[in-house]
Amino acid sequence: MKTNVTVLLFFLLFHGLIQAQTEQPVGDWKPWFIKSGKTYRLPAPTSSKDEIAQVIAQQQTLDSAGWQQVLYWNAGAPNYRWQEMINKIWITDTASTGVLANLLLGTAIYDAMIVAWDTKYAYNRARPYTADNRVKAYVNKPQSPSYPCEHSVAAGVAATIIGHFYPHLADSVNKMAKEAIASRVAAGVAYPSDTRAGYELGKKIAEIEIAHTKDYIHKTAWDGKIPEGPTYWKGKNPMFPMAGRNKTVVLDSGNQYRPGPPPDFAKDMEELRKFKPTFRSISNAFYWANSPEDILSKKIFEYNIHLDPPQAARLYALSNVAIYDAFTACWDAKYAYWGLRPNQYDTTFKPTLIFTPPFPGYPSGHAVISGVNGELFSYFFPAERALFQKRAKDGAESRFQGGIHFRTDNEVGLELGRKVANAVIARAKKDGADDSVNWARH
């Protein structure tokens, strides 16, 4: 009896969530860098009768390569594959604009989704598989209207953003965008005109947001001066010395939460000298030194939020905004104090990690981002707060374990990250989306 009740409750919840996907007023959500969803509502679609034949023709000519594209692009939310791609690019980008590219991929897809959903429910165009029973749905059936295609919206944004910031990838991302678009027609869930409209919408919103943020990256040249003295970082060509002056999104400025100055690190250095690395500590240090798993995408999958494209886009956007502002705040503090690294405080000290980053240590960037993710993801998925807090602690601690940060760097970094995250959460509570069904919070 208990099992039957559990199954019934799950069915009712799942059915309610699917229904909510078609009913929630996404078009009224607050965007990041455009006025509103209604401002950019698309004109009405043309008749779909002439396009049914095109959809059927694409389905009839599907080969193994085409099937692979359908499966590949159907995995996750519309921006999943693009976020996966940008994560691999910007995190190792030596240019100062990588963090802005990541920000805009998130905000532009989210803002374009708001426009898309406003348009979808303005016209309520039936999906091809609903309009004609000769069309087969080869993927999970979206419950939202067909026009414009949400996967094409994401493709239009991504091709524009990535092509703008990384011109050498423009041909590749445009090819990928065409594959993504074609896959939705072949899957039977979009008409060709849905995909064209979606792509152009995504491109338009991306271009607007690129122009809006053209002055976000501080362009004044660094004066080349490194403070001298035993308490200051030592080195040449420090990375991103002006990044702390970038324009922020949620924060008033990069220095809004600037921590106080660092200590002399005598006690921190003594603790590091006494620390005995273990297999577990070394493993943790190297795990976080590399790009760890994308826990946000994993949770979006686990909670089935990928079936709700606007909510998934919202989580990615909030995360990317938080990372951008946290990066700016962290770099503000780094170059306000020029805190030295352990192997500079004691030149006989040998870190576990071979590579010491070429910029000041205080506060730890890993700790700042860990603090952000710990708080932000706990807001998204409150039932798993313990997991996210542990990951935040492990991420920060890894830099001490690797010998490239003092513990104070990590503790201050975690606190700074939490403050940034809470500022972003405060903004999230005003965007109107929490008034809709948020799968992760039920």
Side-chain angles (χ1 to χ4, degrees):
M1 182 65 179
K2 182 178 180 181
T3 300
N4 290 338
V5 171
T6 302
V7 171
L8 177 60
L9 288 173
F10 174 81
F11 172 79
L12 290 173
L13 175 61
F14 186 74
H15 178 72
L17 294 174
I18 289 293
Q19 286 297 110
Q21 186 181 15
T22 67
E23 295 171 356
Q24 55 187 327
V26 174
D28 294 331
W29 290 0
K30 182 179 180 180
W32 287 98
F33 296 128
I34 60 173
K35 185 176 181 180
S36 70
K38 291 180 176 59
T39 303
Y40 296 97
R41 179 183 292 176
L42 301 180
T46 56
S47 173
S48 58
K49 291 182 180 179
D50 295 337
E51 294 190 274
I52 285 290
Q54 298 177 48
V55 176
I56 294 172
Q58 287 208 35
Q59 292 199 323
Q60 290 176 341
T61 57
L62 264 179
D63 55 14
S64 59
W67 278 109
Q68 287 299 315
Q69 291 299 320
V70 169
L71 294 173
Y72 180 83
W73 289 106
N74 190 59
N79 42 339
Y80 166 63
R81 294 297 187 184
W82 301 111
Q83 188 63 50
E84 184 182 47
M85 181 179 183
I86 199 72
N87 284 347
K88 295 175 182 177
I89 300 172
W90 87 266
I91 202 69
T92 57
D93 188 0
T94 56
S96 60
T97 55
V99 68
L100 179 60
N102 182 62
L103 164 72
L104 290 180
L105 184 75
T107 59
I109 289 180
Y110 171 75
D111 288 357
M113 286 293 172
I114 293 176
V115 179
W117 250 249
D118 172 79
T119 300
K120 280 176 181 289
Y121 288 97
Y123 306 116
N124 281 296
R125 188 185 205 184
R127 299 270 180 175
Y129 65 82
T130 300
D132 193 308
N133 60 16
R134 292 175 297 170
V135 177
K136 307 302 179 186
Y138 290 138
V139 296
N140 51 294
K141 296 179 179 180
Q143 300 300 303
S144 61
S146 187
Y147 173 84
C149 169
E150 58 274 17
H151 281 72
S152 301
V153 168
V157 169
T160 305
I161 296 292
I162 296 173
H164 173 80
F165 286 97
Y166 305 99
H168 65 287
L169 296 176
D171 288 344
S172 295
V173 292
N174 281 316
K175 179 182 178 182
M176 292 172 67
K178 290 178 182 177
E179 292 171 347
I181 290 169
S183 76
R184 302 312 284 177
V185 176
V189 295
Y191 294 102
S193 58
D194 296 334
T195 62
R196 289 192 296 270
Y199 179 85
E200 290 303 320
L201 171 60
K203 179 182 177 182
K204 181 177 183 178
I205 299 302
E207 289 172 345
I208 289 171
E209 303 205 355
I210 288 171
H212 180 85
T213 57
K214 67 181 188 305
D215 296 325
Y216 270 47
I217 300 298
H218 191 79
K219 296 180 175 62
T220 302
W222 176 51
D223 61 13
K225 297 178 181 178
I226 300 177
E228 296 182 1
T231 63
Y232 295 121
W233 180 86
K234 303 169 181 64
K236 297 179 179 180
N237 303 316
M239 186 174 285
F240 310 142
M242 305 300 286
R245 300 186 187 183
N246 291 347
K247 186 175 180 179
T248 47
V249 182
V250 172
L251 302 187
D252 297 334
S253 66
N255 64 17
Q256 180 177 346
Y257 296 124
R258 182 188 290 175
D264 64 9
F265 292 125
K267 291 183 178 179
D268 291 79
M269 193 70 244
E270 182 179 358
E271 182 184 15
L272 265 176
R273 291 192 191 102
K274 292 179 178 179
F275 178 71
K276 303 296 183 184
T278 64
F279 177 80
R280 185 177 296 276
S281 72
I282 294 171
S283 297
N284 192 58
F286 278 94
Y287 173 78
W288 289 98
N290 294 291
S291 297
E293 66 176 326
D294 181 358
I295 192 68
L296 177 57
S297 290
K298 180 180 179 181
K299 292 303 171 183
I300 287 174
F301 271 107
E302 290 178 354
Y303 283 80
N304 283 323
I305 303 174
H306 63 287
L307 300 176
D308 186 348
Q311 281 285 9
R314 176 179 180 250
L315 301 195
Y316 282 121
L318 287 167
S319 177
N320 291 8
V321 167
I323 288 172
Y324 174 87
D325 273 12
F327 172 82
T328 304
C330 180
W331 255 248
D332 166 79
K334 282 182 179 293
Y335 288 101
Y337 301 119
W338 291 85
L340 77 175
R341 299 271 181 172
N343 64 345
Q344 296 175 334
Y345 189 98
D346 179 354
T347 57
T348 67
F349 177 75
K350 303 299 181 184
T352 299
L353 293 177
I354 298 173
F355 177 72
T356 299
F359 43 78
Y362 176 87
S364 162
H366 269 63
V368 171
I369 299 303
S370 293
V372 164
N373 291 344
E375 290 300 302
L376 192 62
F377 297 169
S378 294
Y379 169 69
F380 296 159
F381 312 98
E384 299 197 64
R385 182 175 181 83
L387 167 66
F388 299 123
Q389 294 302 309
K390 182 181 185 302
R391 285 178 62 86
K393 180 180 178 181
D394 288 348
E397 184 68 8
S398 73
R399 309 310 271 176
F400 171 85
Q401 293 166 333
I404 60 174
H405 274 289
F406 297 111
R407 190 173 299 284
T408 298
D409 296 343
N410 298 331
E411 292 173 347
V412 171
L414 278 172
E415 182 60 23
L416 176 57
R418 294 184 188 113
K419 288 179 179 179
V420 173
N422 282 316
V424 174
I425 290 169
R427 163 59 165 76
K429 291 178 178 179
K430 299 176 182 178
D431 66 11
D434 275 350
D435 297 331
S436 305
V437 173
N438 187 329
W439 295 17
R441 298 180 64 78
H442 282 68

